[in-house]
Amino acid sequence: MKRPTILVLGAGYGGLMTVTNLQKKLGVNEAEIVLINKNSYHYESTWLHEAAAGTLEPNEVRYEIKDVIDQSKVNFIQAEVTKIDVDEKVVLSTAGEHTYDYLVIALGFEGETFGIPGLEEHAFSIANVLAARRIRDHIEYQFSTWATEQEGERDDSRLTFVVGGAGFTGIEFLGELGNQVPVWCDAYDVPREKVRVICVEAAPMVLPGFDPELVDYAVAQLESKGIEFSIGTPLVEATEEGVKIKTGEEEFEFIETKTVVWAAGVRGNRLIEETNIESARARVRVEPDLRAPGREDVFIVGDCAFMINEAENRPYPPTAQIAMQQGQQCAANIASLLAKKPTTAFVPDLKGSVCSLGSDDAIGVVFGKKVTGGTASFMKKMVDNRALFMVGGLGLTMKKGKFDLL
Ligand code: FAD
Ligand code: NAD
């Protein structure tokens, strides 16, 4: 009898957790597990701000998928998915056509530009490891170019860096930049006072909705590293010369810059919008057991899935923490279906959140307790190491883990 095929799209947190849990739960004869991912490697999306700011080598952020899967059980195909047809039960990729009995869509996030003019063309997004590498190279190029321009003809806008959005991504990136700017100033003989790093936030506060005391701590720490904040001033346009921000009812300001890093929100993968599954911003409101509505054979995990936290009557945020837990539940539910047992509803087990402010500082709420500084930074590294451990065990953790504060 033909084994059922489980086709997993994407080897981010959600996809890899699904696959590594499936390979533990199922014997070779029980199912054929196929994993498709664009690259041969997985990258830690939660470390991308470090690669983008140049505080961590981009290669440190990634590891080979073959190192964490059991190749006797999982057929890994390196290819880009180009179309998902859930009616015909077929997926197209650059490697060909793939059929399935169960499909898991775990294709992750993309930056959301909300249709703001000029952003697609003129802003960078910390969307994947190659994009992060490009941001780092671009910023360093601005330093080296300014430094070698003729005195009197220098373009100072090269040394103005705008970060759009003071959510977790924006703040974590600013924390790294705050540490890295002095390194580049030193390397390229650039006076620190020539460099401006400006964070533009639409909401009336940094990290909207987060604990105000922790937010004050974060802002003070970042300001002490020379970061400027423009709060309550949405970015409304980006051009080749800079960005326009709305500073009042009818008032606007233009900031000249060659570097806009857009960190003002995420959406799901655009391929979702080309399927016959209903979505909003490419995120699908999944059933409690993580299946797409009305689809018995399609699971969606990670940032492409959308769930409401009923207790707080608001959506769960798209996070790695949730993506990983969904991957575990998705694997358990597929194993149940193969064993003709009922599926189980996904219930997130939220342990808190920690936002880094550079490699040496952070803020967070962990198990309901507020933490700052070295303690919070240590916890952030533990969270990062735990994610490695959950996917690749001790071997991967020892190879890629963060142990500089232990
Ligand atoms: P992803 O991790 O985005 O993985 C998707 C995978 O699909 C990738 O491997 C990608 O290459 C692949 N893929 C995409 N398109 C295709 C295609 N067409 N064909 C084939 N493969 C494809 N969350 C936390 O909980 N804690 C944190 O500290 C944290 N820090 C963050 C820091 C930054 C800078 C950012 C940007 C996000 C952070 N997040 C954090 C959020 C977290 O990274 C995401 O929620 C998480 O990555 C979502 O996991 P995922 O599996 O859905 O997708
Ligand atoms: P976000 O949606 O959390 O924050 C985006 C920010 O951009 C908001 O503060 C918003 O007000 C602002 N913004 C929106 N439009 C704007 C405009 N026109 N001009 C200026 N500012 C504008 O997005 P994010 O920070 O990318 O985070 C995405 C997800 O990843 C979240 O779920 C977050 O929790 C998660 N994440 C977690 C961590 C962590 O746990 N350490 C780190 C990074 C990201």
Side-chain angles (χ1 to χ4, degrees), residues 122-398:
H122 302 296
F124 296 94
S125 167
I126 312 176
N128 56 52
V129 70
L130 294 181
R133 187 185 277 277
R134 185 165 164 244
I135 294 170
R136 179 200 69 175
D137 290 350
H138 169 89
I139 297 178
E140 189 162 6
Y141 176 78
Q142 299 312 315
F143 273 87
S144 65
T145 306
W146 187 90
T148 49
E149 281 171 341
Q150 289 292 325
E151 189 83 57
E153 287 173 21
R154 283 177 162 153
D155 181 351
D156 285 349
S157 75
R158 289 191 188 285
L159 298 180
T160 296
F161 303 98
V162 172
V163 176
F168 273 57
T169 301
I171 292 299
E172 290 201 327
F173 179 59
L174 289 163
E176 300 299 324
L177 265 192
N179 287 351
Q180 185 63 14
V181 162
V183 175
W184 278 323
C185 284
D186 195 36
Y188 294 102
D189 300 334
V190 173
R192 174 64 185 87
E193 60 277 12
K194 281 280 180 196
V195 180
R196 292 186 71 194
V197 180
I198 309 166
C199 177
V200 176
E201 167 57 52
M205 72 181 281
V206 163
L207 293 171
F210 206 56
D211 181 275
E213 195 188 342
L214 294 176
V215 172
D216 286 348
Y217 174 90
V219 171
Q221 293 295 88
L222 293 176
E223 283 181 341
S224 76
K225 291 180 186 178
I227 311 289
E228 300 170 42
F229 286 94
S230 176
I231 303 301
T233 55
L235 190 153
V236 292
E237 190 182 354
T239 70
E240 210 171 323
E241 284 77 39
V243 293
K244 189 169 162 187
I245 61 173
K246 192 168 188 290
T247 51
E249 200 55 35
E250 292 294 326
E251 288 146 48
F252 297 90
E253 192 187 308
F254 193 80
I255 305 172
E256 284 187 35
T257 179
K258 298 201 160 17
T259 313
V260 185
V261 177
W262 186 242
V266 293
R267 65 198 323 279
N269 191 295
R270 66 192 63 198
L271 287 175
I272 296 267
E273 292 172 317
E274 294 159 19
T275 68
N276 263 344
I277 303 173
E278 200 182 319
S279 65
R281 291 167 63 188
R283 302 186 72 207
V284 177
R285 185 160 180 171
V286 290
E287 299 292 347
D289 69 358
L290 300 173
R291 277 188 276 192
R295 307 275 168 182
E296 293 288 300
D297 49 7
V298 181
F299 287 82
I300 304 182
V301 299
D303 284 6
C304 292
F306 175 90
M307 286 186 109
I308 294 284
N309 179 343
E310 302 291 351
E312 296 184 13
N313 196 25
R314 60 177 187 168
Y316 284 110
T319 65
Q321 185 177 186
I322 289 180
M324 294 186 86
Q325 293 177 14
Q326 288 180 332
Q328 286 174 308
Q329 187 65 60
C330 174
N333 282 346
I334 292 175
S336 295
L337 290 172
L338 292 179
K340 310 244 178 295
K341 289 184 182 155
T343 57
T344 306
F346 171 67
V347 182
D349 173 19
L350 300 181
K351 302 185 189 329
S353 45
V354 185
C355 178
S356 67
L357 305 170
S359 66
D360 45 359
D361 199 0
I363 52 168
V365 179
V366 182
F367 296 117
K369 284 190 91 166
K370 293 186 211 178
V371 282
T372 57
T375 311
S377 181
F378 174 81
M379 286 184 172
K380 181 79 169 78
K381 285 169 188 159
M382 289 300 93
V383 173
D384 289 348
N385 290 346
R386 184 171 180 270
L388 293 172
F389 185 79
M390 285 172 75
V391 172
L394 194 58
L396 182 68
T397 316
M398 295 310 291

